[in-house]
mmCIF file of all heavy atoms in Angstrom:
data_model
loop_
_atom_site.group_PDB
_atom_site.id
_atom_site.type_symbol
_atom_site.label_atom_id
_atom_site.label_comp_id
_atom_site.label_asym_id
_atom_site.label_seq_id
_atom_site.Cartn_x
_atom_site.Cartn_y
_atom_site.Cartn_z
ATOM 1 N N GLN A 469 87.714 106.902 116.194
ATOM 2 C CA GLN A 469 86.666 107.909 116.344
ATOM 3 C C GLN A 469 86.503 108.324 117.806
ATOM 4 O O GLN A 469 86.338 109.508 118.122
ATOM 5 C CB GLN A 469 85.352 107.356 115.794
ATOM 6 C CG GLN A 469 84.225 108.367 115.691
ATOM 7 C CD GLN A 469 83.416 108.481 116.979
ATOM 8 O OE1 GLN A 469 83.401 107.557 117.783
ATOM 9 N NE2 GLN A 469 82.763 109.618 117.153
ATOM 10 N N ALA A 470 86.555 107.351 118.712
ATOM 11 C CA ALA A 470 86.376 107.651 120.127
ATOM 12 C C ALA A 470 87.570 108.393 120.718
ATOM 13 O O ALA A 470 87.418 109.173 121.663
ATOM 14 C CB ALA A 470 86.123 106.355 120.905
ATOM 15 N N GLY A 471 88.762 108.147 120.162
ATOM 16 C CA GLY A 471 89.961 108.763 120.725
ATOM 17 C C GLY A 471 90.348 110.086 120.118
ATOM 18 O O GLY A 471 91.260 110.755 120.625
ATOM 19 N N GLN A 472 89.669 110.517 119.037
ATOM 20 C CA GLN A 472 90.076 111.761 118.384
ATOM 21 C C GLN A 472 89.847 112.988 119.264
ATOM 22 O O GLN A 472 90.488 114.018 119.082
ATOM 23 C CB GLN A 472 89.324 111.909 117.071
ATOM 24 C CG GLN A 472 87.830 112.125 117.199
ATOM 25 C CD GLN A 472 87.154 112.258 115.846
ATOM 26 O OE1 GLN A 472 87.807 112.203 114.816
ATOM 27 N NE2 GLN A 472 85.836 112.430 115.851
ATOM 28 N N GLU A 473 88.961 112.868 120.243
ATOM 29 C CA GLU A 473 88.737 113.971 121.177
ATOM 30 C C GLU A 473 89.975 114.249 122.017
ATOM 31 O O GLU A 473 90.184 115.365 122.491
ATOM 32 C CB GLU A 473 87.540 113.637 122.080
ATOM 33 C CG GLU A 473 87.192 114.708 123.088
ATOM 34 C CD GLU A 473 86.020 114.311 123.972
ATOM 35 O OE1 GLU A 473 85.412 113.246 123.709
ATOM 36 O OE2 GLU A 473 85.705 115.063 124.920
ATOM 37 N N PHE A 474 90.813 113.206 122.180
ATOM 38 C CA PHE A 474 92.005 113.338 123.025
ATOM 39 C C PHE A 474 93.277 113.247 122.179
ATOM 40 O O PHE A 474 94.302 112.761 122.635
ATOM 41 C CB PHE A 474 92.012 112.226 124.083
ATOM 42 C CG PHE A 474 90.718 112.090 124.828
ATOM 43 C CD1 PHE A 474 89.783 111.128 124.453
ATOM 44 C CD2 PHE A 474 90.426 112.931 125.887
ATOM 45 C CE1 PHE A 474 88.583 110.996 125.131
ATOM 46 C CE2 PHE A 474 89.219 112.814 126.569
ATOM 47 C CZ PHE A 474 88.297 111.849 126.192
ATOM 48 N N LEU A 475 93.170 113.726 120.920
ATOM 49 C CA LEU A 475 94.291 113.590 119.988
ATOM 50 C C LEU A 475 95.535 114.306 120.488
ATOM 51 O O LEU A 475 96.656 113.824 120.284
ATOM 52 C CB LEU A 475 93.876 114.137 118.614
ATOM 53 C CG LEU A 475 94.927 114.045 117.504
ATOM 54 C CD1 LEU A 475 95.337 112.603 117.267
ATOM 55 C CD2 LEU A 475 94.404 114.670 116.229
ATOM 56 N N TYR A 476 95.379 115.434 121.144
ATOM 57 C CA TYR A 476 96.538 116.199 121.610
ATOM 58 C C TYR A 476 96.974 115.800 123.015
ATOM 59 O O TYR A 476 98.165 115.827 123.319
ATOM 60 C CB TYR A 476 96.218 117.697 121.559
ATOM 61 C CG TYR A 476 95.974 118.191 120.151
ATOM 62 C CD1 TYR A 476 94.674 118.430 119.710
ATOM 63 C CD2 TYR A 476 97.025 118.395 119.281
ATOM 64 C CE1 TYR A 476 94.435 118.881 118.422
ATOM 65 C CE2 TYR A 476 96.801 118.835 117.983
ATOM 66 C CZ TYR A 476 95.498 119.072 117.559
ATOM 67 O OH TYR A 476 95.268 119.494 116.274
ATOM 68 N N SER A 477 96.032 115.449 123.869
ATOM 69 C CA SER A 477 96.396 115.079 125.241
ATOM 70 C C SER A 477 96.829 113.616 125.346
ATOM 71 O O SER A 477 97.697 113.292 126.167
ATOM 72 C CB SER A 477 95.208 115.328 126.175
ATOM 73 O OG SER A 477 94.080 114.565 125.773
ATOM 74 N N ALA A 478 96.251 112.744 124.527
ATOM 75 C CA ALA A 478 96.612 111.314 124.549
ATOM 76 C C ALA A 478 96.577 110.771 123.118
ATOM 77 O O ALA A 478 95.659 110.039 122.748
ATOM 78 C CB ALA A 478 95.668 110.531 125.459
ATOM 79 N N PRO A 479 97.546 111.134 122.286
ATOM 80 C CA PRO A 479 97.519 110.729 120.870
ATOM 81 C C PRO A 479 97.574 109.226 120.657
ATOM 82 O O PRO A 479 97.153 108.748 119.597
ATOM 83 C CB PRO A 479 98.764 111.426 120.292
ATOM 84 C CG PRO A 479 99.645 111.707 121.461
ATOM 85 C CD PRO A 479 98.726 111.960 122.602
ATOM 86 N N ARG A 480 98.052 108.472 121.637
ATOM 87 C CA ARG A 480 98.128 107.017 121.478
ATOM 88 C C ARG A 480 96.753 106.402 121.234
ATOM 89 O O ARG A 480 96.649 105.352 120.574
ATOM 90 C CB ARG A 480 98.752 106.390 122.733
ATOM 91 C CG ARG A 480 97.999 106.717 124.010
ATOM 92 C CD ARG A 480 98.684 106.195 125.263
ATOM 93 N NE ARG A 480 98.054 106.724 126.456
ATOM 94 C CZ ARG A 480 96.932 106.246 126.984
ATOM 95 N NH1 ARG A 480 96.328 105.214 126.416
ATOM 96 N NH2 ARG A 480 96.403 106.790 128.059
ATOM 97 N N LEU A 481 95.690 107.022 121.743
ATOM 98 C CA LEU A 481 94.345 106.470 121.560
ATOM 99 C C LEU A 481 93.923 106.484 120.095
ATOM 100 O O LEU A 481 93.049 105.702 119.693
ATOM 101 C CB LEU A 481 93.336 107.267 122.397
ATOM 102 C CG LEU A 481 93.548 107.246 123.909
ATOM 103 C CD1 LEU A 481 92.482 108.083 124.611
ATOM 104 C CD2 LEU A 481 93.545 105.824 124.443
ATOM 105 N N VAL A 482 94.525 107.365 119.310
ATOM 106 C CA VAL A 482 94.235 107.436 117.880
ATOM 107 C C VAL A 482 95.338 106.794 117.064
ATOM 108 O O VAL A 482 95.082 106.043 116.108
ATOM 109 C CB VAL A 482 94.042 108.908 117.442
ATOM 110 C CG1 VAL A 482 93.896 109.005 115.925
ATOM 111 C CG2 VAL A 482 92.831 109.514 118.122
ATOM 112 N N VAL A 483 96.579 107.072 117.431
ATOM 113 C CA VAL A 483 97.718 106.626 116.623
ATOM 114 C C VAL A 483 97.828 105.106 116.582
ATOM 115 O O VAL A 483 98.073 104.521 115.505
ATOM 116 C CB VAL A 483 99.019 107.249 117.174
ATOM 117 C CG1 VAL A 483 100.235 106.645 116.468
ATOM 118 C CG2 VAL A 483 99.000 108.758 116.990
#
Side-chain angles (χ1 to χ4, degrees):
Q469 189 273 337
Q472 67 180 359
E473 181 181 354
F474 310 98
L475 181 59
Y476 296 103
S477 59
R480 57 185 170 80
L481 298 180
V482 174
V483 172

